[in-house]
Amino acid sequence: MVGRTSNGTHDYAGASGAPCAPGRRRGAGTVLTEPAIFAKDTSCECRAPHEKLSIAQARRGTPMDRPVRVYADGIFDLFHSGHARALMQAKNLFPNAYLIVGVCSDELTHKYKGFTVMTEDERYEALRHCRYVDEVVRDAPWTLTQDFLEKHQIDFVAHDDIPYSSAGTEDVYKHIKEAGMFVPTQRTEGISTSDLITRIVRDYDLYARRNLQRGYTAKELNVSFINEKKYRLQNQVDRMKEKVKTVEEKSKHFVYRVEEKSHDLIQKWEEKSREFIGNFLELFGPDGTWKQVFSERSGRMISYAMSPRGSPSNSPPRQLSPSRSLSPPSRWSQPRPASPSSPKEASASFSSMSEEDENEK
């Protein structure tokens, strides 16, 4: 297992289980609490003897005190997942691999490839904090020389297999491939530094407005006075649109709640209406309670009207005067018959009176 000493040199733990440098261990119990080290300007200070390995030997596995030293180089501008995946592949090419990553300086990059977004120090630090990297070589050469390979005791070079034409050559890795030291990795489609820069350039106005809104000045963004005013106006318009959108969403939510409550109210009203109609029919319907009560009271009233109460028994008897007693009797002075006590008696009395009137005529 590979470790690092306090002074930055490599310490390879052998079969005896000598501990690695604290804070950065690799294996089953991986602990990474420190960034990768920078390579020294002098030659590699490995404690184990370095012998040339073939790819077959490296793939079979090497002793713990003799890791396979794999080198991968690049610009690594705007460090992204495509870079990390390439380094992951390089780290896992062999069972016991030690990954060295070379990062080219700004001077070389601007000369052979173009301007970078990140400075060389920023790119160095980005590589140091990648979990697959064991060591970072600053100001790496554009073309690998034999002296550089021997200085860092590099066994194999990892890169994608596409010919990399630069610095007046068709493929800067051609001599590495001919020497049998090249091990290919696969590129990650859909992500690259050029793609990221293309996105920024394509949506330049959007990002300029974004940074103006976050407090950057027009001078810092290299934006003209007219464009600054245009961007700020567009930001205000966007804020107004966002407010209108928020109000619309709240209005929709309010309308939905009103509709829901209206539905509940209508449902309750229908239930109460059914209950009221049922109670009304039960009370005033053809066979309702009110009809029965009315019928009973009507019968009582008719009975009371057809059979009134008699005169009081303690009333004094009426006496006729002498003058009136001497008058001839007539049919009108005859005593009244008793009041009929029932409708049948009243009908019979009425019939007898009619017969008397007819006889007198």
Side-chain angles (χ1 to χ4, degrees):
M1 179 177 283
V2 182
R4 296 191 179 91
T5 59
S6 58
N7 61 2
T9 59
H10 307 100
D11 184 14
Y12 302 104
S16 60
C20 299
R24 191 170 178 89
R25 301 193 307 273
R26 295 185 184 274
T30 301
V31 178
L32 297 174
T33 59
E34 293 181 359
I37 63 170
F38 285 122
K40 289 183 171 294
D41 294 333
T42 58
S43 61
C44 177
E45 300 180 2
C46 301
R47 297 182 180 180
H50 192 83
E51 297 178 357
K52 187 173 179 60
L53 295 173
S54 65
I55 294 180
Q57 289 175 328
R59 285 178 177 168
R60 282 196 301 268
T62 58
M64 295 299 295
D65 61 346
R66 174 57 175 94
V68 180
R69 295 175 64 83
V70 180
Y71 178 82
D73 59 356
I75 309 302
F76 301 106
D77 192 21
L78 297 178
F79 189 81
H80 52 74
S81 61
H83 295 141
R85 288 176 65 87
L87 297 177
M88 178 185 69
Q89 293 177 59
K91 178 66 177 177
N92 291 283
L93 285 170
F94 308 107
N96 184 22
Y98 182 86
L99 182 59
I100 307 166
V101 179
V103 183
C104 299
S105 64
D106 287 346
E107 182 180 357
L108 278 178
T109 305
H110 298 169
K111 180 180 178 180
Y112 292 112
K113 190 169 184 178
F115 192 74
T116 58
V117 178
M118 299 170 67
T119 65
E120 59 183 55
D121 290 331
E122 292 170 339
R123 293 185 283 117
Y124 298 154
E125 287 298 320
L127 267 299
R128 287 188 69 199
H129 292 83
C130 177
R131 63 182 299 178
Y132 309 113
V133 179
D134 294 299
E135 183 178 329
V136 175
V137 177
R138 293 172 288 190
D139 193 14
W142 197 260
T143 303
L144 300 178
T145 62
Q146 188 63 32
D147 291 340
F148 180 83
L149 297 174
E150 292 178 358
K151 173 183 175 181
H152 294 280
Q153 296 186 356
I154 296 170
D155 294 310
F156 300 101
V157 177
H159 200 273
D160 62 81
D161 204 14
I162 301 173
Y164 194 88
S165 59
S166 180
T169 61
E170 295 181 358
D171 188 2
V172 295
Y173 298 104
K174 183 179 179 180
H175 63 292
I176 302 295
K177 294 176 182 178
E178 293 174 349
M181 298 176 62
F182 186 86
V183 184
T185 58
Q186 299 296 320
R187 293 177 64 88
T188 301
E189 297 296 333
I191 184 71
S192 68
T193 300
S194 299
D195 291 339
L196 295 177
I197 294 175
T198 299
R199 296 181 201 174
I200 296 172
V201 173
R202 180 188 60 199
D203 300 325
Y204 169 76
D205 289 353
L206 180 63
Y207 292 114
R209 288 166 52 191
R210 170 184 177 273
N211 281 11
L212 280 174
Q213 192 173 4
R214 293 196 173 195
Y216 288 87
T217 64
K219 185 177 180 180
E220 290 174 326
L221 297 173
N222 196 25
V223 173
S224 65
F225 176 80
I226 296 176
N227 284 336
E228 178 190 5
K229 298 304 178 184
K230 181 183 74 172
Y231 294 150
R232 293 193 184 280
L233 178 61
Q234 289 174 341
N235 286 337
Q236 292 179 358
V237 171
D238 288 346
R239 284 195 293 269
M240 289 299 297
K241 288 181 179 178
E242 189 66 26
K243 288 182 180 179
V244 171
K245 184 178 179 181
T246 303
V247 172
E248 288 180 352
E249 291 178 354
K250 289 183 178 179
S251 300
K252 289 180 181 178
H253 181 66
F254 175 75
V255 170
Y256 174 76
R257 291 183 61 187
V258 169
E259 289 179 351
E260 188 176 9
K261 288 186 175 293
S262 300
H263 179 72
D264 293 340
L265 289 173
I266 291 172
Q267 189 175 2
K268 290 180 180 179
W269 181 83
E270 289 178 350
E271 293 175 357
K272 292 295 182 182
S273 298
R274 294 192 192 98
E275 183 179 354
F276 175 77
I277 292 171
N279 293 337
F280 182 85
L281 293 176
E282 184 180 354
L283 187 61
F284 297 103
D287 300 324
T289 306
W290 178 254
K291 183 178 180 181
Q292 296 176 3
V293 173
F294 182 76
S295 300
E296 292 176 1
R297 289 191 176 184
S298 298
R300 291 176 185 175
M301 291 176 67
I302 292 171
S303 298
Y304 182 79
M306 298 301 291
S307 55
R309 294 181 181 179
S311 299
S313 58
N314 58 356
S315 299
R318 294 179 63 181
Q319 296 181 358
L320 295 175
S321 61
S323 60
R324 293 185 64 183
S325 63
L326 297 176
S327 59
S330 63
R331 65 187 183 91
W332 300 108
S333 61
Q334 295 178 0
R336 291 183 180 178
S339 299
S341 60
S342 64
K344 292 183 179 180
E345 293 178 0
S347 177
S349 174
F350 183 75
S351 299
S352 62
M353 289 174 64
S354 299
E355 292 177 357
E356 291 177 359
D357 290 339
E358 289 178 0
N359 294 331
E360 287 179 1
K361 289 179 181 179

